[in-house]
Amino acid sequence: MDGIERTGHRQSIDRPRLTERFLAGLSRRLTLLEAPLGYGKTTLIEAWVTHLGRAGHPVASVAFDAPARQSINRMNDALAQLSLHHDEDLGLKRLPGEVGPEARRFLILDDFHEADGADCAFVQNLLRGADQGLHLVIGTREPPGFPLTKLRMADQVTDFTRDDLRFDQTEAEALFQDDLPLSEVNSYLEKAEGWIAALQLLRQFGLKRDGPPPDFDRLTQLGEYLNEQYYEQLSPAQQFTLLSTAHVDRVDGDLANWLTGRSDGWQELSALAAANALIFAETGAETTRYRYHSLLRDYLRRKQQQLGQSRMAELHRGASEWFEANAHLVEAMKHARLAGDGARVKDLLLAAGGVQYGMLQGAARLSACLDTLTPEQVLETPRLLLVRAYILLKTGRIREAMALLEEIRATAPSDNDELEREIVLIEAHGRIYSDANMARRQLEALEHTFRSTPPTDPLTRGMLSNFLCMFFIEFGDFPRAREFGDQAMAIYRDMGAAHLQFFMHLHLSAIDLEIRGLAPARAARQRALDLCSAEFATDPSLRACAEIYHGETEFEAGATTGLAERLRASLLRIDRMEGWNMLYLAGYETCLSLLIEDGSFDAAVELCEHAGNLAARRGMVLFPNQLLSLQLDLAVRAGARREARRLAGALNLLLSDNDRGGLRWRGRVRAELAMARFEAETGAERAALDRITRMVRYCRGEGLIRLEMRALVRKLALEAKLEDVEAGFETLKSYIALARQHGGVGAVLRERTAFKEAVLWLVTTQGVGAFDPSDIRFLALLLWNVTGEGAAGQGDILAELLTEKEVGVLDELAKGAANKVIARALQITEPTVKFHLQNIYRKLGVNSRKLAVEIAREHRPPTG
């Protein structure tokens, strides 16, 4: 039986979540509880039996603690109690009795893991027979000895597994309510992994509300329980397998064979897990690995210590060798350290490439490797100091990293080419993360280093190509950026370097988003997200990078629901992790645009302050200048005039002194757009229009499609304000052409109200007939996408231009109805119809009924 009967103190806890599920499945044929010893199966079944008895249901029970024939006899006796009779040939039949024909009968079979073949055949025959109102409840530590596929496919089985039976927080609190403060319960629940037997033991032995918490490693009774109830029940071969592998966190059959010197590791582990012992099978994409329950693992590791220091060192050394051979560097280093082999720990990391290992596998894995080394080992080895500098860079401690790099360069031997290459790569990293200005001659020197690096060193060539791609993006030279980005990606693919491919997807998507269009950029960023999920699911830094870039393209696509909160969470998560100028600009600008358009100015101010603190802490050079543009936009939109004037002054100085490189192409365009908004809001509309017109020409000349779209939308809003119909008409046509080419709506999302007002003003002033029908449909869809108003997805510009009543009048008009007929159909007066018609003519830009009808028939979608 389950529970801790050895102590005589089993405590029953009410478990309504399980009882409700059990009761919901009573119409099925079988309830199966399958879990190891100590998961409360018997206690739970007893509670269900009590519940069924109180409800008046007939219940009979059999425990399998006797030879097969006796068990079958007892099952037949139990069926007789339920007014049922089983015949091997005729199946299950009802007997005359007090039980009504529609009543459910319940046969409880506990400890079914003790059943033999004859017992299993008997029960299988019961389940195969016609439904006579019998419901079986089976409690077992192992799968029943007969298949249940057919019953499960017919939804005739309610399964309760080990995961279902584990205690949850509420149940653990009920167990410990007299022994522990509730605030401490969770730590015991986590240690026991919900295993009820362990929790019961902890409650019975060593727990005192006012005393110290129990020492799990020294809880004698728990060790005795595991020894008597589990370990001693195993075969010698299984005991040897467990004792030889308990020092590793996860084990598969190959590793077990390596450590035991045997060849049956897969069979032993599979048998232990299949028996629902305290071993969990974790099936991944490539192989199955096994994990021991934490309490069993701790118990086994205590037994391991009895093997002696020499044997333990041998086991750790063997694990280290196996993990090294299977490319698990962190585990190999950890076990080398536990084996007492400090020299091997250091040599493993250096042999794997040191800094280059981190570039290939990610900073998180490299940091875990570094943690296995002693400070003395790091200090005495320049290449390990470089690893330290690289980790500092990747965690945002840029000043510390660059200072350490200077120390290494000052003391490094001049003839160590490998060390010199690594220093160059980290310096390039540092320049990117510190957002420092880079002169053309420095870029040319980096390109020369790339050209002179031999193909036999693909990692260095790939990294230099990667950096050149990013630096050329900063210079606005997209053809060269694409050239080096494609080279880097090709090298990384040949190397199988998934970590580096992840970054190249992001960098190449940044090029696509500016000069090609939304679709390729969005696809590349989705690939980065997928790669992160598949290869680096435990690296929060990479995940945040992918989500920020993905969020920017989702904004451009108009998918903004919940986006501001997701972006803000990612920006906060990456605060002290990896990040660079383009990434931060994408995240902060997109999130601020959403907050500003939503009127959440307080949240936008907090986000700006967070961005400023981040830039200051990381010592970033150029990003704070770009941040000025975002802050000015916010101040103008929020009506903070004094702050807007101050920011405009600072930004104007940057624009007039651009020889110092305070702003590059993207920063300059954004600054000019922010200044134009400021000027327009302070009465200098003409100056603002001149400024934006220059930016349109500049963006067009440089091929900056996305930024040109933003400049055109801002220009259109100004021309509408100045009532320049001709210029506004040409600007709108230019925007439509680019928007169709690029596919993004981000420019409009940043100016929702102004854009809608300008478009409707132009269409009304020029008349619908002045526009190409396809342009009208495009504008209608665009307005619906960015405002959520109008006829969803129907391309109906008239629904945007007219009121609901006017649309009704126009629809009747298109049918050829006279004014009197329209009045009757809409239940309004004839003078009201005439009033609406005058408004319709004015808004459509026509002067006759005939033209209005033609427009309605051409531009209104068909109605049912």
Side-chain angles (χ1 to χ4, degrees):
M1 292 285 187
D2 263 359
I4 312 172
E5 298 181 354
R6 182 169 59 85
T7 67
H9 291 86
R10 186 173 65 196
Q11 178 181 352
S12 179
I13 300 296
D14 188 28
R15 311 190 72 183
R17 65 183 176 91
L18 300 180
T19 300
E20 288 172 11
R21 193 168 147 223
F22 166 68
L23 296 176
L26 293 188
S27 61
R28 300 186 176 107
R29 304 287 295 273
L30 172 64
T31 295
L32 178 65
L33 295 86
E34 183 184 331
L37 175 72
Y39 276 88
K41 297 184 295 298
T42 296
T43 304
L44 185 60
I45 289 172
E46 288 173 354
W48 291 349
V49 168
T50 301
H51 184 93
L52 292 171
R54 288 173 180 168
H57 293 290
V59 182
S61 300
V62 175
F64 283 77
D65 53 2
R69 181 47 53 186
Q70 291 185 30
S71 297
I72 291 175
N73 291 339
R74 285 192 292 160
M75 282 191 281
N76 277 317
D77 292 343
L79 289 171
Q81 293 177 37
L82 300 174
S83 299
L84 294 169
H85 173 70
H86 176 262
D87 184 278
E88 289 186 9
D89 298 321
L90 300 177
L92 195 64
K93 298 293 181 183
R94 295 181 184 176
L95 298 176
E98 300 178 1
V99 180
E102 301 301 324
R104 296 296 286 172
R105 302 158 170 83
F106 294 88
L107 177 61
I108 312 298
L109 306 177
D110 201 7
D111 289 336
F112 198 72
H113 49 273
E114 300 287 353
D116 67 5
D119 296 328
C120 290
F122 184 93
V123 173
Q124 185 178 20
N125 200 276
L126 285 179
L127 290 169
R128 279 179 178 169
D131 185 359
Q132 300 292 340
L134 178 66
H135 183 97
L136 269 67
V137 179
I138 296 178
T140 177
R141 299 178 194 173
E142 303 171 3
F146 50 85
L148 292 172
T149 305
K150 188 174 181 180
L151 283 174
R152 286 195 172 108
M153 292 294 291
D155 193 27
Q156 288 298 308
V157 183
T158 302
D159 284 291
F160 289 86
T161 66
R162 168 170 46 197
D163 289 339
D164 298 316
L165 296 177
R166 284 189 174 103
F167 262 18
D168 63 15
Q169 182 77 23
T170 301
E171 291 160 344
E173 287 176 356
L175 177 67
F176 287 126
Q177 62 182 342
D178 297 326
D179 305 300
L180 272 181
L182 296 183
S183 59
E184 297 181 18
V185 169
N186 194 52
S187 62
Y188 295 94
L189 184 63
E190 288 180 0
K191 185 66 178 178
E193 297 186 44
W195 185 25
I196 301 171
L199 289 167
Q200 291 275 20
L201 280 168
L202 292 173
R203 185 184 66 84
Q204 294 164 19
F205 304 116
L207 272 181
K208 295 181 180 178
R209 176 173 287 274
D210 300 324
D215 184 340
F216 290 105
D217 290 335
R218 301 192 179 195
L219 191 55
T220 306
Q221 293 86 350
L222 185 58
E224 291 175 358
Y225 179 79
L226 285 166
N227 193 62
E228 294 174 11
Q229 300 294 324
Y230 180 73
Y231 187 76
E232 292 295 337
Q233 306 300 318
L234 301 175
S235 70
Q238 289 174 327
Q239 291 180 1
F240 181 67
T241 297
L242 291 179
L243 205 56
S244 300
T245 58
H247 58 299
V248 296
D249 295 328
R250 300 289 192 280
V251 61
D252 65 15
D254 293 336
L255 176 54
N257 289 338
W258 179 273
L259 294 171
T260 61
R262 298 164 60 103
S263 60
D264 56 358
W266 284 108
Q267 295 92 322
E268 294 289 3
L269 291 170
S270 177
L272 285 164
N276 275 327
L278 299 177
I279 297 179
F280 308 88
E282 299 177 343
T283 302
E286 298 179 357
T287 187
T288 298
R289 297 189 304 170
Y290 298 87
R291 176 179 69 85
Y292 305 157
H293 188 289
S294 61
L295 291 173
L296 173 62
R297 181 200 63 210
D298 294 347
Y299 161 77
L300 291 170
R301 288 181 180 178
R302 288 194 298 274
K303 285 190 74 71
Q304 272 188 331
Q305 297 304 316
Q306 300 171 14
L307 300 175
Q309 188 174 350
S310 176
R311 174 59 178 155
M312 283 307 304
E314 180 185 341
L315 286 172
H316 282 299
R317 193 177 301 111
S320 177
E321 292 169 354
W322 188 88
F323 282 120
E324 180 192 8
N326 287 272
H328 298 295
L329 181 61
V330 176
E331 290 295 310
M333 293 177 66
K334 181 182 80 172
H335 286 285
R337 176 174 56 80
L338 291 170
D341 193 344
R344 175 175 168 78
V345 178
K346 182 175 69 173
D347 291 344
L348 280 168
L349 181 53
L350 293 175
V355 164
Q356 297 180 41
Y357 174 81
M359 293 174 182
L360 287 168
Q361 300 295 331
R365 293 175 184 175
L366 183 61
S367 182
C369 292
L370 191 67
D371 288 343
T372 65
L373 297 165
T374 65
E376 293 75 20
Q377 286 177 310
V378 175
L379 287 171
E380 68 188 17
T381 312
R383 287 186 64 208
L384 294 179
L385 277 175
L386 275 180
V387 170
R388 174 67 176 156
Y390 182 75
I391 296 299
L392 289 171
L393 273 179
K394 290 288 188 174
T395 51
R397 296 163 67 179
I398 297 165
R399 291 190 181 92
E400 293 177 62
M402 299 311 286
L404 180 56
L405 199 60
E406 286 182 17
E407 291 180 22
I408 298 169
R409 183 175 281 285
T411 58
S414 58
D415 59 347
N416 191 328
D417 293 338
E418 186 175 27
L419 185 64
E420 178 60 28
R421 281 199 305 272
E422 292 181 347
I423 290 174
V424 169
L425 291 178
I426 296 179
E427 283 178 337
H429 269 96
R431 188 170 293 279
I432 288 170
Y433 292 144
S434 63
D435 195 25
N437 230 329
M438 192 174 198
R440 277 284 181 182
R441 58 179 177 77
Q442 293 173 308
L443 191 58
E444 291 167 1
L446 192 64
E447 187 173 351
H448 173 75
T449 304
F450 164 74
R451 303 288 182 201
S452 60
T453 302
T456 53
D457 187 0
L459 178 59
T460 301
R461 285 181 63 83
M463 292 301 298
L464 291 172
S465 296
N466 184 341
F467 297 144
L468 285 164
C469 172
M470 295 185 73
F471 286 132
F472 275 117
I473 290 175
E474 290 296 338
F475 274 97
D477 190 339
F478 293 107
R480 300 300 308 283
R482 169 65 68 177
E483 173 193 347
F484 284 107
D486 287 342
Q487 286 189 52
M489 181 64 90
I491 292 170
Y492 294 157
R493 281 177 176 152
D494 288 344
M495 296 173 64
H499 178 254
L500 295 172
Q501 290 177 49
F502 166 85
F503 286 106
M504 289 317 303
H505 283 310
L506 298 183
H507 302 332
L508 291 171
S509 74
I511 300 172
D512 289 338
L513 191 58
E514 298 299 340
I515 66 171
R516 286 186 64 199
L518 176 60
R522 203 177 184 191
R525 293 181 181 185
Q526 185 60 53
R527 285 194 292 272
L529 260 179
D530 294 342
L531 191 58
C532 185
S533 298
E535 301 286 343
F536 309 103
T538 59
D539 191 329
S541 175
L542 295 193
R543 186 75 193 180
C545 291
E547 287 173 346
I548 288 169
Y549 267 131
H550 185 257
E552 184 185 33
T553 46
E554 290 304 284
F555 175 81
E556 290 291 333
T560 59
T561 303
L563 182 57
E565 284 306 310
R566 294 198 300 275
L567 276 173
R568 185 156 49 178
S570 294
L571 288 166
L572 292 175
R573 191 162 68 248
I574 209 171
D575 184 83
R576 296 183 185 275
M577 297 179 183
E578 186 166 10
W580 56 95
N581 184 311
M582 285 186 288
L583 173 76
Y584 292 130
L585 185 62
Y588 284 107
E589 185 183 39
T590 305
C591 193
L592 280 169
S593 296
L594 288 163
L595 293 173
I596 290 171
E597 276 299 316
D598 192 44
S600 303
F601 295 121
D602 289 343
V605 169
E606 287 183 13
L607 192 66
C608 272
E609 188 165 325
H610 181 269
N613 288 333
L614 177 140
R617 185 172 61 253
R618 291 176 178 250
M620 299 179 76
V621 177
L622 297 179
F623 182 66
N625 296 338
Q626 304 203 60
L627 191 56
L628 280 176
S629 302
L630 307 184
Q631 291 169 326
L632 177 57
D633 245 0
L634 171 58
V636 171
R637 300 283 287 273
R641 296 184 178 180
R642 181 180 298 177
E643 177 62 5
R645 284 195 297 272
R646 186 190 71 80
L647 291 167
L651 204 53
N652 213 27
L653 282 175
L654 273 174
L655 287 168
S656 61
D657 190 24
N658 202 45
D659 289 340
R660 297 186 179 181
L663 292 169
R664 289 244 170 86
W665 60 273
R666 89 163 63 79
R668 186 171 186 82
V669 175
R670 284 171 168 83
E672 297 280 13
L673 293 178
M675 287 297 298
R677 186 189 296 280
F678 170 76
E679 289 168 342
E681 292 296 322
T682 54
E685 289 92 348
R686 289 293 174 185
L689 187 57
D690 290 343
R691 189 186 292 270
I692 287 188
T693 302
R694 290 196 302 272
M695 284 302 99
V696 170
R697 287 198 297 268
Y698 169 77
C699 291
R700 191 166 296 163
E702 297 294 324
L704 303 175
I705 299 176
R706 186 166 70 128
L707 285 176
E708 184 184 349
M709 290 165 62
R710 288 177 61 175
L712 285 170
V713 170
R714 192 76 59 85
K715 185 171 182 281
L716 175 64
L718 269 171
E719 288 163 344
K721 189 174 182 181
L722 294 169
E723 298 188 351
D724 189 338
V725 177
E726 185 177 346
F729 188 66
E730 292 302 317
T731 298
L732 182 57
K733 287 201 298 184
S734 296
Y735 170 76
I736 291 172
L738 277 185
R740 281 178 161 160
Q741 175 186 346
H742 186 273
V745 297
V748 174
L749 287 175
R750 291 178 166 87
E751 310 283 346
R752 292 174 195 251
T753 304
F755 179 78
K756 180 178 181 180
E757 291 175 353
V759 168
L760 296 184
W761 167 76
L762 266 177
V763 174
T764 301
T765 305
Q766 290 291 87
V768 175
F771 291 84
D772 184 273
S774 66
D775 287 349
I776 285 293
R777 285 191 291 274
F778 180 83
L779 284 173
L781 289 169
L782 185 60
L783 288 174
W784 181 81
N785 277 315
V786 300
T787 65
E789 300 172 4
Q794 294 184 354
D796 185 4
I797 194 69
L798 303 183
E800 300 284 352
L801 285 169
L802 308 177
T803 66
E804 185 178 349
K805 186 63 73 176
E806 289 166 354
V807 168
V809 171
L810 185 62
D811 285 341
E812 294 299 318
L813 192 69
K815 297 175 184 176
N819 288 359
K820 287 183 180 180
V821 176
I822 296 173
R824 284 197 300 270
L826 301 180
Q827 298 182 343
I828 56 178
T829 65
E830 192 172 346
T832 302
V833 172
K834 293 179 179 179
F835 172 76
H836 285 317
L837 284 173
Q838 289 174 354
N839 284 336
I840 290 170
Y841 297 160
R842 176 177 55 81
K843 292 180 180 180
L844 298 185
V846 299
N847 56 11
S848 70
R849 191 183 191 94
K850 179 183 177 184
L851 290 175
V853 169
E854 289 178 0
I855 287 173
R857 289 174 177 171
E858 181 173 10
H859 295 291
R860 279 287 285 161
T863 60

